[in-house]
Amino acid sequence: MSTAASDSTNLGDGSTPMILAQQVCKNFGSLQVLKGISLEVTRGEVLCMIGPSGSGKSTFLRCINHLEQVNAGRLYVDGDLIGYREKGDRIYEMSPRAAARQRRDIGMVFQHFNLFPHRTALDNIVEAPTQVKKIRKADAITRAKELLDRVGLADKADSYPSQLSGGQQQRVAIARALAMDPKLMLFDEPTSALDPELVGEVLGVMRELAASGMTMIVVTHEMGFAREVADQLVFMDAGVVVESGNPREVLANPQHDRTKAFLSRIL
């Protein structure tokens, strides 16, 4: 991938956005999934993304931490170009090792919990800090216990995933992501695999994270959460941003016919 350089990231400036997407495109073969996504998320902001299945929301999240390579455009996190290095007016793909170093600063929570089934809740959280960041195990254990307490699972440190409810497993997954001290958290429909009565406990943890100032992008169908917590709401369809703005305004008075049709089916 090669495009002309841009100086619009305000590198070295305190106003640097946490996320800056510039005309991001992603194809899978002949299928164009993202068709020029441009958006900005400031530090401490919560952006919720809504839209029908297949609209490109999850793919966009995966591009932010370079789990998917973009085909055109640029993605910056905290002023750093993700997945590529700049040389003159050209950009070149980073090595997998360099891309992994960038990814350490971006926490991601998936729809399915992806916990190690043979490790306890505590061990699931300790794994990445000790193996990736080379943190002393004793320090990592102390931090893991603090995080389990933060997500309301202090008494589940020695439990295995099979002994936990779906909501508890997802809260462990959030604690695991936080153990890497990320500057940004991405949530890809974190409650969609949960029984309805378990959704609230996960959203409660996410509300606390937002209140603490964590920058977050949340792909969700939980409109109440988006209305209450988000600073910015983006409605995507067919790989483009159809409408964006204040969540309460977009949800109460959508301007685009496609947004109106989508919301009429789920609200």
Side-chain angles (χ1 to χ4, degrees), residues 144-175:
K145 289 179 177 178
E146 293 172 353
L147 289 169
L148 282 171
D149 184 57
R150 182 176 181 180
V151 301
L153 294 173
D155 60 335
K156 299 295 184 182
D158 296 325
S159 298
Y160 290 89
S162 62
Q163 298 170 315
L164 302 173
S165 70
Q168 290 170 334
Q169 289 185 63
Q170 192 62 294
R171 284 186 280 159
V172 172
I174 293 172

Side-chain angles (χ1 to χ4, degrees), residues 101-137:
R101 281 197 296 271
Q102 287 186 325
R103 199 175 290 128
R104 294 189 307 187
D105 294 326
I106 304 171
M108 188 160 184
V109 178
F110 298 88
Q111 179 176 345
H112 299 287
F113 326 120
N114 299 332
L115 298 177
F116 295 116
H118 60 291
R119 296 185 185 276
T120 64
L122 184 74
D123 289 339
N124 265 280
I125 297 168
V126 166
E127 178 79 9
T130 55
Q131 296 300 314
V132 178
K133 285 195 165 182
K134 307 303 180 185
I135 293 173
R136 289 177 59 244
K137 188 165 185 178

Side-chain angles (χ1 to χ4, degrees), residues 21 24-28 31-39 47 49-64 68 70 75 108 187-189 217-221 234-242 258 262:
V24 172
C25 297
K26 174 61 184 176
N27 306 328
F28 292 103
L31 178 64
Q32 193 173 9
V33 178
L34 300 177
K35 304 172 184 176
I37 302 297
S38 294
L39 57 81
L47 181 146
M49 306 188 80
I50 63 172
S53 297
S55 59
K57 309 181 300 297
S58 295
T59 298
F60 179 69
L61 282 197
R62 292 174 64 84
C63 288
I64 291 174
E68 300 287 355
V70 303
L75 264 170
M108 188 160 184
F187 293 87
D188 188 6
E189 299 193 33
I217 297 185
V218 184
V219 172
T220 186
H221 294 296
V234 167
F235 171 66
M236 283 184 64
D237 187 39
V240 300
V241 173
V242 176
R258 183 67 186 92
F262 175 79

Side-chain angles (χ1 to χ4, degrees), residues 241-252:
V241 173
V242 176
E243 189 166 346
S244 64
N246 179 285
R248 288 154 292 285
E249 294 175 3
V250 173
L251 293 173

